[in-house]
Structures are given as C-alpha cells and as structure tokens.
Amino acid sequence: MQEVCEFLKKAGTYYLATVEGDQPRVRPFGTVHIFEDRLYIQTGKVKPVSKQLAANPKAELCAFMDGTWLRVAGELVEDDRREARKSMLDAYPNLRAMYSEDDGNTQVLYFRNATATFSSFGAAPREVKF
C-alpha cells in the first residue's frame, strides 16, 4: 500500500471514476494519505462525487507517470472520525484554506477490498491487494 500511495503522490494528479446511475463520472484528484494502515482520499460532502459514492461505493482511480500507470479498484468507505479528517488535512495543509476537520463538509474515505495494478508497455501487470 505504501508503494501505491507514493506513486500517486509523485504522479500529483490521479483520476477517480464513480458512477451516477448508468453514467460513468471521472474527475481529477490529488489527495492521498495513509492513516491507520488504510489508503485515504479526501473530498467535500457537498460535491457530486460524495453523493455518487454514497449510492455506490465502487470506484476506481488511475494515474500515469514515467511510462507506468496505476489503477486502484475497490470500495470507498467514509471514515467520519475527526482524527481521520485531521490527519488528512495535516498532510495537505494547503487544503485548510477551503476545509476544516470540523466544518461538516470535509469527507475522508478509505479503500476497502482494493486491488492496485501497476502496468507498463512490454511488462506483465503487477497487482497489490489491500
């Protein structure tokens, strides 16, 4: 999981896919953090992505860097504990201009039953489960 987190941080931007009814939705994200041995992302509860994940927690993200791409598929589960939100915001202090662990909007979610797949042209894919 640490390797997955480091790849996503170095890539800088990854794309998170969710579904809304039968329509796929993809958007750029940049937050990724390990807290209590789980891989977390962050969003705002007022955003459509939050509502999409509440209706269907299955999601996939994808990032590309230096000829290698990473896909992580699994379920995103909300962790509504203050300490989880604080840990994420402490890792990304620039987000504090828009979010606070006590604002009622900040949402952190962790991957459950996740499979990360590292791929590149000319090499066999490699999977990491967490």
Side-chain angles (χ1 to χ4, degrees), residues 1-12 32-34 39 63 65 70 92 118:
M1 183 185 345
Q2 186 66 39
E3 180 185 13
V4 171
C5 187
E6 288 174 12
F7 185 97
L8 293 170
K9 283 185 178 189
K10 285 180 185 173
V32 62
H33 181 60
I34 294 177
L39 186 70
M65 180 180 65
L70 168 66
Y92 290 89
F118 290 90

Side-chain angles (χ1 to χ4, degrees), residues 63-128:
F64 183 82
M65 180 180 65
D66 299 331
T68 299
W69 60 96
L70 168 66
R71 292 182 312 148
V72 180
E75 299 170 35
L76 282 168
V77 178
E78 181 178 12
D79 185 340
D80 200 29
R81 295 177 300 152
R82 183 181 192 278
E83 56 265 31
R85 293 188 304 269
K86 182 178 182 330
S87 181
M88 176 64 82
L89 294 174
D90 286 348
Y92 290 89
N94 58 320
L95 290 178
R96 290 197 176 274
M98 299 181 300
Y99 295 101
S100 159
E101 54 268 29
D102 299 316
D103 63 8
N105 180 43
T106 301
Q107 183 177 42
V108 293
L109 306 108
Y110 64 88
F111 271 98
R112 177 172 63 194
N113 301 323
T115 300
T117 306
F118 290 90
S119 301
S120 60
F121 293 112
R126 182 172 54 87
E127 287 188 349
V128 177

Side-chain angles (χ1 to χ4, degrees), residues 18-25 52 55-56:
T18 59
V19 293
E20 185 173 56
D22 67 349
Q23 178 63 48
R25 302 289 183 195
Q52 293 156 10
N56 181 350

Side-chain angles (χ1 to χ4, degrees), residues 48-68:
V49 67
S50 177
K51 293 164 184 57
Q52 293 156 10
L53 289 168
N56 181 350
K58 291 181 182 179
E60 188 163 332
L61 64 78
C62 185
F64 183 82
M65 180 180 65
D66 299 331
T68 299

